[in-house]
Amino acid sequence: MFGKEEKGEYSMKLKKIFGMAFAFCAIFAAAAPQTAGAEPYTYTNKEAGYSIMCPTKPLGVLPASVLHEGEQGSVLVFANEGYKINKAWIIIPDGFNKSDLPDLTKLSQKEEALLLTQLKENTAYAVVDILPITAKTKGVFAVTSKTIMVDTDGDGELDTEATADTQMAVVFLRSEKGRPFKIELIDNPEITAKNVSEFRAGISTLKDL
């Protein structure tokens, strides 16, 4: 699956799915800072065919296309200040092509280690790892870097170093029924251990309907 002759092609696939992961724009209408209540809440999206346990009931749910143009999914907003989202989960069902990332549960330890090395070499994340999601599933967990390279002249080449306004976490996983999901955490002004812990706990409750 990960032979030498396939490394170039596979690396391109990895760059494609991870390059699409973050295009951040903060939008949520409210006049004053708001934070969701303290009781856990199960968010169910019958149309998209999944449910997930949230640490609190979201203040509101936006279409993912508001933040990521062309993507079909939902933004669960937990805290905001005016038009700025301070905390949210972005849930994208069918968020990547299955052929772009193997079923992590079927890899040997050697194959998993090789994949992780490729991910670290071919993505610009500050943190990237392969972690268990449930007893039956695994996912790729990553955190964006504060320092990023950007394409300033539109030629497709990254040519200038810039400092990102925020960091985000993202997980690529297959549900227990094999459906590919991309789930992101917005956490402003900086990622906290508490919110990452809640995020990972929530992802472990993801269920197909």
Side-chain angles (χ1 to χ4, degrees):
M1 181 183 294
F2 302 109
K4 182 176 179 181
E5 69 276 5
E6 296 176 336
K7 183 175 180 180
E9 179 182 356
Y10 193 74
S11 295
M12 289 300 295
K13 289 184 177 181
L14 294 175
K15 289 180 181 179
K16 179 177 69 173
I17 63 169
F18 278 87
M20 294 168 59
F22 300 109
F24 179 72
C25 172
I27 259 189
F28 188 74
Q34 296 188 43
T35 303
E39 293 298 319
Y41 176 83
T42 299
Y43 172 75
T44 301
N45 190 321
K46 292 183 179 180
E47 182 178 347
Y50 70 89
S51 68
I52 190 169
M53 179 71 75
C54 303
T56 59
K57 183 177 181 179
L59 294 170
V61 179
L62 303 174
S65 57
V66 172
L67 304 185
H68 298 308
E69 184 178 357
E71 285 197 322
Q72 301 296 314
S74 300
V75 182
L76 281 55
V77 180
F78 299 105
N80 72 287
E81 186 173 356
Y83 288 92
K84 181 181 180 182
I85 294 176
N86 289 331
K87 179 182 176 182
W89 295 355
I90 306 172
I91 303 174
I92 312 293
D94 305 308
F96 61 92
N97 293 324
K98 289 184 177 181
S99 60
D100 290 340
L101 192 67
D103 184 341
L104 301 174
T105 63
K106 296 181 179 180
L107 300 184
S108 67
Q109 288 185 339
K110 184 177 179 180
E111 289 172 331
E112 183 177 304
L114 177 57
L115 173 60
L116 184 58
T117 297
Q118 291 176 332
L119 291 172
K120 291 178 177 179
E121 290 178 349
N122 293 284
T123 63
Y125 287 91
V127 176
V128 59
D129 206 352
I130 296 174
L131 300 173
I133 304 298
T134 69
K136 298 181 179 180
T137 62
K138 291 183 177 182
V140 174
F141 173 84
V143 177
T144 58
S145 176
K146 287 290 287 184
T147 302
I148 58 175
M149 295 298 294
V150 296
D151 176 11
T152 59
D153 53 18
D155 65 355
E157 297 293 328
L158 303 178
D159 51 57
T160 303
E161 187 174 274
T163 300
D165 293 331
T166 186
Q167 286 181 287
M168 297 175 67
V170 60
V171 171
F172 294 92
L173 69 128
R174 282 178 167 85
S175 69
E176 290 194 358
K177 291 186 178 180
R179 189 179 185 190
F181 278 82
K182 178 177 71 175
I183 307 178
E184 298 173 351
L185 167 67
I186 297 172
D187 190 11
N188 285 315
E190 61 183 17
I191 288 180
T192 64
K194 175 180 179 293
N195 287 339
V196 170
S197 178
E198 289 180 347
F199 178 64
R200 289 186 58 189
I203 289 170
S204 71
T205 69
L206 180 73
K207 294 181 179 179
D208 298 287
L209 299 181

